[in-house]
Structure formats: structure tokens, C-alpha cells
Amino acid sequence: MVTRKDVAQKAGVSPSTVSRVINKNGYVALEVRERIEAAIAELNYIPNRAAQNLRTRSYKQIACISPSISNSFFSEMFMGIEGMAIEYGYSLSLYNITKKKHPYIKQVLEGPYDGIILLGSQELTMVEDILEITKKMPLVTYWDRIERMDIPLKAQIPHVYIDLKKVMRQSVEYLITNGHKEIVFLGHYYNEESNSNPRYKGYEMAMKEHRLPIKDYYKIFIEMYEDKLTTGYDAIKMLLDRGYYFTAVAASNDLLAAGAIRAIIESGKKVPQDVSVIGVDNIELAKIVTPTLTTMNIPKKEIGRMLVQQLMDQIQNESTMAKSIEVEVRLKERESVKNLIIS
Amino acid sequence: MVTRKDVAQKAGVSPSTVSRVINKNGYVALEVRERIEAAIAELNYIPNRAAQNLRTRSYKQIACISPSISNSFFSEMFMGIEGMAIEYGYSLSLYNITKKKHPYIKQVLEGPYDGIILLGSQELTMVEDILEITKKMPLVTYWDRIERMDIPLKAQIPHVYIDLKKVMRQSVEYLITNGHKEIVFLGHYYNEESNSNPRYKGYEMAMKEHRLPIKDYYKIFIEMYEDKLTTGYDAIKMLLDRGYYFTAVAASNDLLAAGAIRAIIESGKKVPQDVSVIGVDNIELAKIVTPTLTTMNIPKKEIGRMLVQQLMDQIQNESTMAKSIEVEVRLKERESVKNLIIS
DNA sequence: AAATTGATTGACAACGGTTTCAAAATAACT
DNA sequence: AGTTATTTTGAAACCGTTGTCAATCAATTT
């Protein structure tokens, strides 16, 4: 292995001077710098990263713990994270957590990282684990569940979030504005009762505000798993088979919405002519589906960037204050919602 | 920061002994071991990874360079890679390369990695870069382009691959077996002439073998970009608009196939009743699309695992022989192909 | 009882850098 | 010419481990 010493010898200087050239700090005579650079090139010298890490007490790496990245929601967010991290000179390790196991906490804490970004879905991760990490290493999360935690706990975990209730409410209000009255909520199931389900609350709020009754069959709660992509399909198909009437489906994510569309089309109806569908997330799929999906765009890249910024804040300034940053969501209009008023 | 020294002091032993406990090697009296373990727990001691890396000259990390991981083809492969890497006790850094830039080579070579896995699509990466890396660090690739390189070059780059020609041929033969004769090839465009286009070659071979004429409008070549998800749609739509006749579309990946389906449905025809569509890849999308897509399943997870195995081979045994491993592809039947013979 | 073996420990030399400090050389001012 | 800044360098301490080696001590064999 070629070391700094070899370079120094070849260039006829001391190792210290070579360091100065590598790190571009301190004074180095032009002539000497060139000689050293030549030696570096000639020897194909690459500084030993482990030694640098040891000496500088920093790894220039952050770990990202994420649910299955096959889910394009998270992969897009990851892209945002990566882009921003690179701007800060950091690279990223990725840990996918799946349903079965998560010994990741130990691995990550013992790993060569300066900080951790946790993307959480559902209940895959435990609060205690997070709090444990927080004590040992800078951490920031994007974690659905955090919204449902109590204030003191929330205050301990830096996070970037979107207001799910608000999002769902906007989504449903858009449908209402377009003349829809019979709107099915196709959403996530939470272990707790539905009144702690922010998505449903948003739906409920929009409906109530506009004095629209919520019939029983409007309420569909689904357990989302990575491997169950057709749950939205199944649910809406059942509704249609039983002859229930509705003019729109407000899904709490695009996957469910896509399933709904498929069920509707298969039943012989048309989207959006007969039934409108709206989603949340705006994942790639939304552009591919027929018809293309109107949805609430969650700015995943942007969230990724903010996560990194907040983490860097902690790493660089040792600021202990756990920040909470809300990201706004906007409607992305496409083809899957019909305006019942104009026509 | 808590170091091994602190632990040693607390436990009343020498640092060396603490090391023995951590690494579980050498002799340590039971009683002493317990004392040390207690001290470790109490002090919340975590071994400094940089020091370990430096000392052992290994990072226990590998870098994965991949095209946009939003593409579920690659994210699935990544999942396979990650799973296998963990079994070997390694973790993964992920670098997404995009169209614009790739200064990744330098970054990765200077990074804390024991090896590199390169997932390549199209021409994003340059052969010279790869060869440069090969000289400095264990590397293994899954890279479409490698199949089109000349033998001596190929022999220098360890890789796992699928035979694109064979795959496409199987796909088309399946259509033919199902009674299709007028089959449109909807495939990738390569810079070179089509006779070095393995996908097209496979199509051509199947058609010729069965004495089926290839009409001009059967041949569609498309430049695939991440951001152009609708190119398959556009192409087939044009064909339909102009009134060309065909009973099936053999697409060279699922994205193109999905676009084709959408175009066909929009034109008022049905899939597979009027036109059959077959894809290649078997990405998640294939299950979601309506109708679900019959496609050639590329075992992405499996490829990922083999990539890691081959890399570990290099890392551990210093075996310099660049291996070439072919992975077999199988048909995954779903709903998008109609059997014209039975009906 | 002496000698051999095995278990158990600590001292110490790396590993390959960064960074502080002081010395030496050069340039800039009185 | 003498003094004071400013560049330019190398020596040396240190980062926190691993792993070799020899020393110690108890157990076993001759």
C-alpha cells in the first residue's frame, strides 16, 4: 500500500507537507506543491480513509434507515437525501428494514456514521430504540407515527413531517369543490381507534364542514404491507360488487388509489367519468396509471433535503434542540377526477 | 468519548484484555470477562470504528453504484445485494448516478470501501473508469453494456449478466406459441445499428425461426430515460392512430409494456382480447397494471446476491480471475397475453 | 521436586493520517 | 543593519484500536 510517507520520500519532503497539500491548508511553496502532486499522481496515492477518520473523529458518512426502498416513495426521498448529503461532502449508507427484523440499531450505532436519518413507516421501529439512538448520535426522522406521539416525546426527536390530517382534508375538499358528495375514504388502518387516525380525521373534517353525511360504507381501513399491493383493489371491488354508490374515492396513498382505479375499470365503469379517484403521495406510478392520477404531491426530494440539513445542523453545531419542521403539500392535478359541476 | 482504556480502568484490567473480550479471541478468564462486559455496558462503550478499520485494514463496507434507484428494477436488486451483504457482515453505501454527472469514481475509490458493485444501465458509466477501478479495488458489475463488449475487455471485468437476446427470444416465442404472428417489437434503442442490439436480435431470431415476416412498422426503437416514462405509450399510440395492424407487442421492458397497454386501452381496444402485450423485467408495476402484465421475470434479488458473493470472493481470496456468471430468466404468466389458438 | 504444558494477562509496536508548535528562511519595515 | 512580519518546513504528539510477544501463574506430567 502506498502511504503518505512514500509520497513524501519521492517528493523529497516531510509527510506533514504532503498532508498540507492533500488538505489544501497551511502554507506550501508552489514549487513544492507541484512536486508533491506529481508524486501523488505517479504513485497513485490515495489517502487512507480509516486513518483520516480516526484522526479527524468524523466519518463523513451518514446512515439512512428506511422501509423497503422498492417503495418509490422512499426511494425518491432517498434521492433527495443523497443529493443534499453530497453537497455537504457526505456519503450515505442505506439500511432497509423489513417486517421481520431490525437489529439495525446496534449495527448503525457501531457503524462509521456521523449521524442517522430514519425514514419510518408504520410501526416498524420502536420509540425506545429511537430515543436510545438520540442520546448517542445525531438523528433526524421522517416518521408518520411521530405525529401521533405525545408532545414531550415529540420534542425529543428531531423530525420533518407533513400534516396528514391537513393533506387528507385538502384532498377531500378538492373533490367536494368539484361537486362530489358521495366520497369513499380508502385509507390506512391504525391499531388505535379511528379518531386518532389523522388521515381519517382529515376526511371527516372536510365532510363535516360541508355538511356531507358519512355513510358507513364510505369508511374503509386497510392494513398496508409492502407485499399487499392489491388491497385497494380488493376493497373497492367488494364495494362495487355489492352495489354501493359513490362518485369518488379519496385514497390515502397512490397505491390504494391505483388499486381503486383498477377495480372500477374492471367493473365496467370509467374513471373519472363514472367515479373519480384521488390519491396522496404522487409517486411515479401516478404518472403511469390509466388514467393518470390526480394526487396530493408530497415533495419527497425536498423532504430528503431538509432531513439532511437538519442533521447537518446537529452534527456541525451540536445544537441539541430537537426541531420539528412541517413540509407543505400541494395538489397535483391529472386526469382521475371529474368536475361534476361544469359538466 | 469512552474508549477501551476507560473500560479497562473501570474493570481493573489492561486495554489488551478488553480487546480480547470484544473480539472474542484469545484466553480470558470467565470472571474477568464478566467484569469487562459489565464495564462496557455501564459505560455505554462502543468501539471506535475508525480505529478498527485502520488497524484491521478493512472497512466492512461496500459501495453500490446504481442508476436511479427510483427505478424499481434496481431497487429490488439492491435489496438482494443488501441482504446478502449483511450475511457477510458488510454494510452498503449507495451512490445513484444520474444522467448529468458521475464524479463518483473518485469519491468511491477514496471512500471507506472494501469493494464496489456497479449496476449499470445504458452508457452512464465509461469502460475506462471501470477498468481503472478494477485495478485498485475489487469490483463486480451487472451491466447491460458488458454483453456488447469484445471478449478481452469482458474478461477483465467480473460480472453477472442475463442473456438479453435469449430473453427476448423466449418472450417472442411465447407469443408465437400462443398463436401470434403479427408481433411488434417495442424496444431499446442503442446507438449502434440494430444488429448489435441483442434485444432486437432475439426478437428477430424468434420471428425468423418461425418464418414470420417482420414488417417495417414492427420495429420500434426507443431511447429510454428515467424521466420519459411514457415513451412506450407514445410509440404504440402512434401506431394505432395510423391504423397499423398487429396482435401483440413484445416490449423489452415492463415500463414500455405498461405504456403500450395504456395506449391500446385508450384507443378503445382491449388487452389482451384485441392486442396482447408482454414485457421483460417483472418489476412491481407488472402486478399493479391493468391487466396484470405477463413478463419475463428477471430474478433481481438473486442477481444481487450473486453479485455480493462474487465480490466477497475477490475480497477474501484475492482471486484475480474475472468471472462471468449468467443468470437464467423465466416467464411469469399473468393476464396480458391471449392464447389465439385455443379460443 | 523439577519440568512441561496451558491459561491468563499486560506492554508495546504498529496502522496512516492530522495538527500543533517551533525553527528556519525569506520578505518587509524602520 | 536591525527588527519585525510572513512563508515555509519538519518533528512529534496523538487518534483508538489489534495483535504479537513475553511474563506470570496454576495445573499437569515426569
Side-chain angles (χ1 to χ4, degrees):
Chain A
M1 162 170 267
V2 183
T3 75
R4 196 187 44 148
K5 215 167 144 187
D6 302 318
V7 176
Q9 201 158 22
K10 175 147 219 133
V13 296
S14 79
S16 318
T17 309
V18 176
S19 274
R20 280 187 206 99
V21 170
I22 293 168
N23 302 313
K24 305 189 201 307
N25 61 11
Y27 292 110
V28 173
L30 179 64
E31 186 263 333
V32 176
R33 147 166 293 119
E34 282 169 351
R35 220 167 52 211
I36 292 177
E37 276 165 353
I40 287 177
E42 194 173 344
L43 294 176
N44 252 314
Y45 167 70
I46 295 177
N48 181 301
R49 184 66 176 267
Q52 291 181 321
N53 290 345
L54 177 57
R55 187 55 229 237
T56 62
R57 296 156 170 284
S58 91
Y59 296 105
K60 294 287 178 188
Q61 273 207 148
I62 66 194
C64 177
I65 303 179
S66 166
S68 171
I69 204 169
S70 296
N71 182 331
S72 83
F73 183 84
F74 292 106
S75 65
E76 273 185 59
M77 196 173 287
F78 182 86
M79 301 280 285
I81 292 173
E82 194 200 359
M84 196 55 154
I86 285 180
E87 286 179 31
Y88 277 97
Y90 280 66
S91 57
L92 271 171
S93 272
L94 178 58
Y95 291 80
N96 278 282
I97 45 182
T98 55
K99 237 181 306 173
K100 31 197 170 181
K101 46 161 190 178
H102 46 104
Y104 292 87
I105 292 95
K106 194 172 178 329
Q107 267 207 50
V108 169
L109 280 176
E110 293 184 353
Y113 309 115
D114 300 323
I116 297 178
I117 291 177
L118 179 87
L119 310 183
S121 80
Q122 319 303 351
E123 325 293 337
L124 277 178
T125 330
M126 287 179 300
V127 189
E128 304 80 50
D129 293 337
I130 307 302
L131 288 175
E132 194 196 329
I133 295 179
T134 314
K135 283 177 206 137
K136 301 183 182 169
M137 198 180 278
L139 169 143
V140 56
T141 76
Y142 172 84
W143 194 19
D144 268 19
R145 193 177 161 187
I146 214 159
E147 285 186 72
R148 288 173 290 134
M149 301 191 330
D150 43 354
I151 312 287
L153 220 50
K154 249 164 122 168
Q156 292 178 60
I157 305 175
H159 59 278
V160 174
Y161 75 101
I162 54 168
D163 185 334
L164 291 174
K165 192 169 88 179
K166 201 197 286 180
V167 170
M168 208 57 208
R169 184 173 151 195
Q170 280 180 50
S171 149
V172 174
E173 268 172 355
Y174 173 73
L175 290 175
I176 295 175
T177 308
N178 277 273
H180 292 271
K181 292 187 165 56
E182 309 231 26
I183 303 170
V184 167
F185 168 81
L186 176 64
H188 290 71
Y189 167 79
Y190 290 88
N191 294 330
E192 311 99 37
E193 339 70 80
S194 61
N195 72 356
S196 77
N197 180 334
R199 303 175 202 255
Y200 178 71
K201 290 290 273 186
Y203 164 79
E204 191 181 36
M205 183 171 293
M207 294 294 273
K208 283 193 175 162
E209 253 173 32
H210 294 269
R211 311 271 160 79
L212 296 174
I214 298 177
K215 298 182 188 164
D216 267 354
Y217 68 84
Y218 287 179
K219 297 185 271 188
I220 307 180
F221 298 96
I222 287 182
E223 270 193 87
M224 291 288 298
Y225 289 124
E226 298 149 27
D227 45 338
K228 299 274 278 176
L229 295 170
T230 59
T231 46
Y233 169 83
D234 295 336
I236 297 299
K237 182 171 174 55
M238 199 201 65
L239 231 54
L240 290 166
D241 284 350
R242 297 196 185 168
Y244 287 117
Y245 180 73
F246 50 92
T247 68
V249 174
S252 70
N253 73 32
D254 290 350
L255 234 38
L256 290 173
I261 288 180
R262 195 176 149 202
I264 293 164
I265 290 179
E266 266 187 30
S267 82
K269 300 193 175 184
K270 290 195 170 176
V271 179
Q273 290 82 349
D274 301 319
V275 183
S276 293
V277 176
I278 189 168
V280 171
D281 279 0
N282 193 22
I283 57 179
E284 286 294 319
L285 177 65
K287 296 183 213 160
I288 300 172
V289 125
T290 316
T292 55
L293 186 65
T294 291
T295 187
M296 300 301 296
N297 174 50
I298 297 185
K300 298 162 282 295
K301 288 229 168 77
E302 185 55 25
I303 291 174
R305 299 175 68 82
M306 300 190 79
L307 284 165
V308 173
Q309 278 188 339
Q310 204 182 134
L311 188 66
M312 288 302 156
D313 237 47
Q314 287 184 62
I315 294 177
Q316 293 170 350
N317 309 331
E318 312 249 343
S319 78
T320 52
M321 248 276 286
K323 281 187 231 153
S324 171
I325 300 179
E326 181 179 348
V327 177
E328 293 297 335
V329 170
R330 281 206 176 64
L331 180 76
K332 174 68 191 177
E333 287 193 81
R334 291 211 183 81
E335 308 166 351
S336 66
V337 172
K338 183 186 177 191
N339 188 328
L340 298 179
I341 297 174
I342 295 176
S343 52
Chain B
M1 161 171 266
V2 183
T3 77
R4 197 187 42 151
K5 216 166 143 188
D6 302 318
V7 175
Q9 203 157 23
K10 173 145 221 135
V13 296
S14 80
S16 315
T17 308
V18 177
S19 275
R20 279 187 207 101
V21 171
I22 294 168
N23 301 313
K24 305 187 200 307
N25 61 11
Y27 293 109
V28 173
L30 180 64
E31 186 264 333
V32 175
R33 147 166 293 118
E34 282 169 351
R35 220 166 52 211
I36 292 177
E37 276 165 354
I40 287 178
E42 193 174 344
L43 295 176
N44 252 315
Y45 167 69
I46 295 176
N48 181 301
R49 184 66 174 267
Q52 290 181 322
N53 290 344
L54 176 58
R55 190 51 228 241
T56 63
R57 296 158 170 284
S58 90
Y59 295 104
K60 294 288 179 189
Q61 273 207 146
I62 65 193
C64 176
I65 304 179
S66 165
S68 171
I69 205 170
S70 296
N71 182 332
S72 83
F73 183 85
F74 291 107
S75 65
E76 273 186 59
M77 195 173 287
F78 182 85
M79 301 280 285
I81 292 173
E82 194 199 359
M84 196 55 154
I86 285 179
E87 285 180 32
Y88 277 97
Y90 280 66
S91 57
L92 271 171
S93 273
L94 178 59
Y95 291 79
N96 278 283
I97 44 182
T98 54
K99 235 181 308 172
K100 30 196 170 180
K101 47 162 189 178
H102 46 103
Y104 292 88
I105 292 95
K106 194 172 178 330
Q107 267 208 49
V108 169
L109 280 176
E110 294 184 352
Y113 309 115
D114 299 322
I116 297 177
I117 292 178
L118 180 88
L119 310 183
S121 80
Q122 319 303 351
E123 325 291 338
L124 276 178
T125 330
M126 286 180 301
V127 189
E128 305 80 49
D129 293 337
I130 306 302
L131 289 174
E132 193 196 331
I133 295 178
T134 314
K135 282 176 208 138
K136 301 184 182 169
M137 198 181 278
L139 169 143
V140 54
T141 75
Y142 172 84
W143 193 19
D144 269 19
R145 192 175 162 190
I146 214 160
E147 285 186 71
R148 289 175 286 134
M149 302 190 331
D150 44 354
I151 310 289
L153 220 48
K154 248 163 122 167
Q156 292 178 60
I157 305 176
H159 59 279
V160 175
Y161 73 102
I162 54 168
D163 186 332
L164 292 173
K165 193 169 90 179
K166 202 197 284 181
V167 171
M168 207 59 207
R169 184 173 150 196
Q170 279 180 50
S171 150
V172 174
E173 267 172 355
Y174 173 73
L175 290 174
I176 295 173
T177 308
N178 277 274
H180 292 272
K181 292 188 164 60
E182 309 231 28
I183 303 169
V184 167
F185 169 82
L186 177 62
H188 290 71
Y189 167 79
Y190 290 88
N191 294 330
E192 312 99 36
E193 338 71 79
S194 60
N195 71 358
S196 76
N197 179 335
R199 302 175 202 253
Y200 179 73
K201 290 290 275 186
Y203 164 81
E204 191 181 37
M205 184 170 294
M207 293 294 272
K208 283 193 174 161
E209 252 172 32
H210 293 270
R211 308 274 161 79
L212 296 174
I214 299 177
K215 299 182 188 162
D216 268 353
Y217 68 84
Y218 287 179
K219 297 184 272 188
I220 307 180
F221 298 97
I222 286 181
E223 269 193 88
M224 291 288 297
Y225 289 124
E226 299 149 27
D227 46 337
K228 299 275 278 175
L229 296 170
T230 59
T231 45
Y233 168 83
D234 295 337
I236 297 299
K237 184 172 173 54
M238 198 201 65
L239 231 53
L240 290 165
D241 284 350
R242 297 194 186 169
Y244 288 118
Y245 180 73
F246 50 93
T247 68
V249 174
S252 70
N253 72 33
D254 290 349
L255 235 37
L256 290 173
I261 288 180
R262 194 176 151 202
I264 293 164
I265 290 179
E266 267 186 30
S267 82
K269 300 193 175 182
K270 289 194 169 176
V271 179
Q273 291 81 349
D274 301 319
V275 183
S276 293
V277 176
I278 189 170
V280 170
D281 280 358
N282 193 24
I283 56 179
E284 287 294 318
L285 177 65
K287 297 183 212 161
I288 300 172
V289 125
T290 316
T292 55
L293 186 65
T294 292
T295 187
M296 300 301 297
N297 175 51
I298 297 186
K300 296 161 283 293
K301 286 229 169 76
E302 185 55 26
I303 292 174
R305 298 177 68 82
M306 301 190 78
L307 284 166
V308 173
Q309 278 189 338
Q310 204 181 133
L311 188 65
M312 288 302 154
D313 238 47
Q314 286 184 62
I315 293 177
Q316 294 170 350
N317 309 332
E318 313 249 342
S319 78
T320 52
M321 247 278 285
K323 282 187 232 153
S324 171
I325 300 179
E326 180 178 348
V327 177
E328 292 298 336
V329 171
R330 280 206 176 64
L331 181 75
K332 173 69 190 175
E333 287 193 81
R334 291 209 185 81
E335 310 166 350
S336 66
V337 173
K338 183 185 177 191
N339 188 326
L340 298 178
I341 296 174
I342 295 175
S343 52

